[in-house]
Amino acid sequence: MGGSESALTSSQGENLDDEITTVSERTEVGDPILEKLKSLKITAPILTSAPGESSLTDILVRKPSSSSTSGTVNPNVLLELFSMYRDWQEQKASKISKRQEEIENKIEVADALAVKLLQRFNYSASAMKTTSHHLSEVHALQVELGELKGRLTEVISNCDALCKRIAAEGPETLQSSIAPITVASTDPKNHPV
């Protein structure tokens, strides 16, 4: 089992002395990473050089031998490749700059719209605050107007009673000049506030 095991053994039947025997087993399985490292082998080098070239600089700056032209590149082909690469880079750069100008224009338009929207929002918020303030005062005005209507109705009824009293009991000179007051309907449906 890989660990230590204990077993209770009795000696030869009649002897009842107890003994503990310890058995330890050692596993032979090694570390898998260490096994992989042991299995690595050295391969042949990728860069091969002539016997006279001993460093990377010698390999990179070596001049081709006059007898072998298979490893050399035609300078005209190389020039054409570089010019094609330069043209491609210029096209990419012009596309990127054009795209950048378009994005900058869109950002400017978005900024201008944001400023206008902010102004309109501020104006709307100010108008809503003013309207809310006026509407909060309407209830107080309605209460005050109701009280004034009640007082006016009381005054008109007092005047009407006074006029009737003068017409009935007053001097004759006043009786002919006083006409009874006709009170208009005080129904709030007929007179909106």
Side-chain angles (χ1 to χ4, degrees):
M1 291 181 66
S4 299
E5 293 184 11
S6 298
L8 183 65
T9 59
S10 62
S11 61
Q12 295 188 1
E14 293 182 56
N15 191 359
L16 296 176
D17 294 332
D18 293 337
E19 294 179 5
I20 297 176
T21 305
T22 303
V23 179
S24 62
E25 296 178 10
R26 184 174 178 179
T27 59
E28 295 296 327
V29 179
D31 187 13
I33 296 173
L34 186 60
E35 295 297 324
K36 285 182 182 179
L37 284 174
K38 286 180 182 177
S39 67
L40 291 177
K41 294 179 181 177
I42 298 175
T43 60
I46 296 172
L47 290 176
T48 57
S49 62
E53 299 166 346
S54 60
S55 68
L56 183 61
T57 307
D58 293 339
I59 295 170
L60 292 175
V61 296
R62 73 178 174 188
K63 293 182 181 177
S65 62
S66 59
S67 62
S68 171
T69 58
S70 62
T72 60
V73 178
N74 188 347
N76 293 332
V77 173
L78 195 59
L79 179 65
E80 187 177 345
L81 285 173
F82 277 127
S83 65
M84 287 172 60
Y85 178 74
R86 187 190 66 223
D87 293 341
W88 177 75
Q89 286 287 44
E90 287 175 357
Q91 288 175 358
K92 282 294 213 185
S94 66
K95 284 181 182 177
I96 289 171
S97 64
K98 186 177 178 182
R99 183 67 186 230
Q100 189 174 3
E101 288 175 8
E102 291 174 359
I103 290 172
E104 286 174 358
N105 290 338
K106 288 179 181 178
I107 288 173
E108 287 177 5
V109 169
D111 284 344
L113 286 174
V115 169
K116 285 191 175 188
L117 285 173
L118 182 62
Q119 289 173 348
R120 288 184 183 180
F121 175 76
N122 288 338
Y123 174 75
S124 297
S126 172
M128 288 172 66
K129 285 179 185 177
T130 305
T131 305
S132 172
H133 180 68
H134 291 322
L135 287 175
S136 67
E137 293 177 351
V138 166
H139 181 68
L141 289 175
Q142 282 179 336
V143 170
E144 190 175 334
L145 185 61
E147 291 174 0
L148 289 174
K149 282 173 82 175
R151 289 180 189 167
L152 183 62
T153 305
E154 186 180 343
V155 168
I156 289 174
S157 65
N158 287 341
C159 284
D160 188 39
L162 185 61
C163 288
K164 287 179 183 177
R165 192 170 169 198
I166 289 174
E169 301 172 4
E172 290 181 14
T173 55
L174 290 175
Q175 286 179 357
S176 61
S177 64
I178 292 182
I181 298 175
T182 56
V183 179
S185 173
T186 58
D187 189 8
K189 292 179 184 174
N190 295 334
H191 299 286
V193 177

